[in-house]
């Protein structure tokens, strides 16, 4: 057996990239989350060839001070937490400090940023983990990240990429999730030079309507309930909703899109009486609770969470939804038999 050795940093980042950057859409998700964490008001996304050729995310957020630019690309380097207490009550979407390093290990990444404290911006490049020297750059306050040729140095990964149309669809889905989570922000999405989405700041329901369709809004009941430190709001479609092609099941916990078996189960149970068993419920629901009551550090992509009091969350979601679906306006709809 070969002797035990410590893996080189680049290889460690490439291994991490296998989890964090499964496909172009996962890189896009990480960049969008960084823009949100930076307090941006407007985020512009440009993609080429399903994101494999190019992912560019430009924001007007805080920017990164010039002297910290290289740190943004270092592994386990983050401005979002400093200790275990911070982790326990983290409110930002990111905190692991590994996304940019992971992306930079498997692509050609350019980071251009300007912090309010700097008289001009700075640019730095990272290609297959190798950092360039930083150079002055002309940019307004904010950050622009360009990711080109994803997996150019990892052919085994590249082989797993699907068609351009499929990768674009995943990117669009990642964009939609983030845009749903922050109706107060402006977003644009371009693919191969064509404008696909242009979203102005709006009320939550208007944003949902724009992204999921007016039909979804018309066929939904509005929800907004609070109890014992929990709040559930959003829209749940009635059984009459004839679904589009999209799988309209959006659940956000403290602004983060998650797939949670526990909540999905509570939702299914709440729909059971009103929904034909062969149909799937459609909803865009936002659960808010004390960050300390939920552990988001379960998975590298942070798409799973763990609740401190899972039973209370289950009971609350079931109860609120069940009541909403039984309202007169909901009950008036003929239930499919
Ligand atoms: P994390 O988000 O977990 O901290 P990342 O690798 O995604 O890790 O980013 C590393 C750091 O780079 C962040 O903590 C942040 O300080 C900085 N950063 C990344 N993207 C942006 C952005 N769009 N605007 C401002 N700062 C950013
Ligand atoms: Mg991040």
């Amino acid at each position: 057996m070969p002797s035990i050795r410590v893996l080189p940093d680049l290889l460690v980042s490439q291994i991490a990239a296998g989890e964090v950057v499964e496909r172009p859409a996962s890189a896009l998700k990480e960049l969008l989350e960084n823009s949100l964490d930076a307090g941006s008001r407007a985020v512009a996304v440009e993609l080429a060839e399903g994101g494999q050729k190019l992912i560019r995310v430009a924001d007007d957020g805080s920017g990164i001070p010039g002297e910290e630019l290289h740190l943004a690309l270092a592994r386990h380097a983050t401005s979002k937490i400093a200790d275990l207490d911070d982790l326990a009550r983290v409110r930002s979407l990111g905190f692991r400090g590994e996304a940019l390093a992971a992306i930079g290990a498997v692509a050609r990444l350019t980071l251009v940023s300007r912090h309010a404290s700097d008289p001009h911006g700075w640019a730095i490049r990272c290609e297959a983990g190798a950092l360039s020297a930083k150079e002055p750059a002309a940019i307004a306050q904010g950050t622009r990240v360009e990711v080109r040729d994803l997996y150019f140095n990892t052919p085994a990964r590249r082989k797993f990429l699907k068609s351009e149309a499929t990768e674009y669809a995943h990117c669009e889905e990642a964009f939609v999730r983030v845009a749903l989570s922050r109706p107060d922000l402006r977003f644009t999405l371009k693919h191969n030079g064509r404008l696909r989405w242009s979203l102005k700041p709006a009320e939550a329901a208007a944003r949902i309507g724009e992204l999921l369709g007016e039909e979804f809004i018309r066929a939904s009941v509005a929800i907004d309930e609070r109890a014992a430190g929990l709040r559930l709001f959003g829209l749940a479609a009635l059984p009459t909703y004839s679904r589009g092609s999209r799988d309209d099941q959006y659940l956000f916990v403290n602004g983060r899109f998650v797939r949670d078996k526990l909540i999905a189960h509570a939702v299914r149970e709440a729909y059971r009486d009103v929904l034909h068993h062969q149909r799937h419920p459609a909803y865009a629901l936002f659960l808010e609770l004390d960050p300390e009551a939920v552990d988001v550090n379960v998975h590298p992509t942070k798409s799973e969470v763990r609740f401190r009091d899972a039973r209370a969350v289950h009971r609350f979601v079931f109860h609120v939804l069940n009541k909403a679906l039984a309202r007169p306006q909901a009950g008036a709809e003929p239930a499919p038999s």
Side-chain angles (χ1 to χ4, degrees):
M1 203 163 79
S3 50
I4 300 174
R5 60 194 137 227
V6 174
L7 298 176
D9 236 33
L10 174 60
L11 183 55
V12 177
S13 293
Q14 286 171 335
I15 291 170
E19 294 173 316
V20 184
V21 200
E22 203 192 316
R23 62 189 337 152
S26 13
L28 174 60
K29 166 191 176 283
E30 294 294 337
L31 301 183
L32 286 170
E33 291 188 348
N34 282 343
S35 294
L36 265 48
D37 283 344
S40 307
R41 305 309 306 162
V43 184
V45 180
E46 280 183 66
L47 306 170
E49 297 180 16
Q52 201 211 332
K53 185 85 204 137
L54 171 73
I55 304 168
R56 180 188 291 133
V57 175
D59 67 47
D60 60 354
S62 64
I64 304 168
E67 70 268 20
E68 291 179 15
L69 207 57
H70 62 289
L71 286 175
L73 291 159
R75 300 193 53 232
H76 309 310
T78 180
S79 57
K80 299 171 192 176
I81 60 168
D83 56 32
L84 207 56
D85 284 345
D86 289 348
L87 178 60
R89 56 175 115 83
V90 68
R91 285 182 184 277
S92 54
L93 296 164
F95 53 82
R96 300 173 63 102
E98 61 183 3
L100 290 184
I103 298 168
V106 294
R108 302 181 222 274
L109 186 153
T110 306
L111 172 61
V112 188
S113 192
R114 178 171 168 188
H115 189 263
S117 63
D118 283 333
H120 57 77
W122 293 93
I124 194 168
R125 278 182 308 282
C126 181
E127 185 163 325
L131 273 193
S132 74
K134 74 172 186 221
E135 291 165 9
I139 182 177
Q141 189 191 322
T143 301
R144 183 171 74 237
V145 183
E146 277 177 19
V147 177
R148 289 179 191 275
D149 307 323
L150 191 62
Y151 306 132
F152 80 96
N153 61 337
T154 48
R157 276 259 130 204
R158 202 164 58 230
K159 271 192 284 196
F160 282 95
L161 290 175
K162 300 285 192 290
S163 69
E164 177 178 328
T166 301
E167 295 303 337
Y168 172 71
H170 282 282
C171 286
E172 187 174 53
E173 186 58 25
F175 174 86
V176 165
R177 288 171 186 171
V178 168
L180 282 173
S181 79
R182 291 299 301 272
D184 54 323
L185 303 194
R186 186 179 299 277
F187 291 96
T188 55
L189 174 64
K190 278 187 190 171
H191 185 220
N192 293 339
R194 268 189 57 199
L195 186 66
R196 298 299 192 99
W197 289 104
S198 177
L199 304 166
K200 291 190 191 64
E203 296 294 315
R207 176 63 60 87
I208 294 172
E210 202 163 354
L211 289 166
L212 305 186
E214 286 305 318
E215 174 62 16
F216 181 93
I217 300 279
R218 270 195 299 276
S220 296
V221 282
I223 286 164
D224 194 355
E225 299 260 354
R226 295 165 201 259
L230 299 167
R231 179 184 178 206
L232 185 72
F233 66 97
L235 294 173
L238 296 168
T240 46
Y241 176 55
S242 56
R243 289 152 44 76
S245 55
R246 222 195 276 279
D247 197 24
D248 291 336
Q249 299 187 341
Y250 295 93
L251 171 71
F252 301 83
V253 174
N254 287 347
R256 186 190 302 277
F257 178 88
V258 299
R259 310 187 166 288
D260 186 77
K261 287 203 185 75
L262 175 96
I263 297 183
H265 181 265
V267 172
R268 259 200 323 278
E269 289 290 298
Y271 266 99
R272 217 161 58 167
D273 297 340
V274 291
L275 198 61
H276 190 268
H277 68 279
Q278 271 159 357
R279 298 180 57 166
H280 293 284
Y283 51 84
L285 292 172
F286 302 82
L287 178 70
E288 287 184 352
L289 72 173
D290 180 353
E292 293 195 54
V294 53
D295 182 2
V296 291
N297 187 26
V298 179
H299 187 268
T301 64
K302 294 158 275 171
S303 53
E304 288 167 39
V305 293
R306 216 175 276 138
F307 297 103
R308 200 167 59 194
D309 191 349
R311 287 169 59 117
V313 170
H314 187 283
R315 220 181 301 123
F316 175 69
V317 171
F318 170 79
H319 176 75
V320 169
L321 215 54
N322 198 251
K323 200 177 76 181
L325 292 168
R327 257 182 249 155
Q329 48 168 352
E333 307 286 344
S337 54

